[in-house]
Amino acid sequence: MITKDSIETAYSFLHQKRRIYVHSTLSWQRDDIEMAIADYANEMSPELLSVLAKGKDDFLRDHKRFQEDITEAVDMLEQML
């Protein structure tokens, strides 16, 4: 079961990190954000992650697709609120 609290927590965290990530010009800062989000994804509600990932095993954990994934996750979470 996906709780409203888990949606709100995920939205707050991912939204904040995405805003910093898209405006950052520092590669180390972007890498740190990617690592923090990957750690968060490993600990978040498995049900919520599954809904957000839409079958992508490495959702929020793939460097090449990270900005696309976090943007999609934030948009989906906003709609779920």
Side-chain angles (χ1 to χ4, degrees):
M1 181 172 100
I2 301 172
T3 66
K4 182 174 180 170
D5 286 344
S6 67
I7 295 168
E8 289 174 347
T9 301
Y11 176 77
S12 295
F13 185 66
L14 295 178
H15 182 265
Q16 175 194 36
K17 296 299 182 193
R18 183 191 169 278
R19 287 181 52 113
I20 297 166
Y21 186 88
V22 298
H23 297 290
S24 178
T25 58
L26 305 170
S27 62
W28 64 264
Q29 185 178 41
R30 291 171 66 100
D31 289 343
D32 284 355
I33 291 171
E34 287 184 32
M35 289 187 338
I37 296 299
D39 287 345
Y40 181 77
N42 290 334
E43 301 298 322
M44 74 187 295
S45 159
E47 295 88 0
L48 180 55
L49 181 60
S50 178
V51 168
L52 297 174
K54 297 181 189 175
K56 298 175 195 164
D57 291 333
D58 57 355
F59 188 72
L60 295 173
R61 298 177 192 98
D62 182 348
H63 174 73
K64 296 175 193 165
R65 210 180 59 234
F66 181 79
Q67 188 166 341
E68 177 185 333
D69 284 354
I70 195 169
T71 299
E72 184 177 330
V74 168
D75 289 346
M76 289 178 66
L77 288 162
E78 189 171 338
Q79 292 174 10
M80 296 169 83
L81 290 174

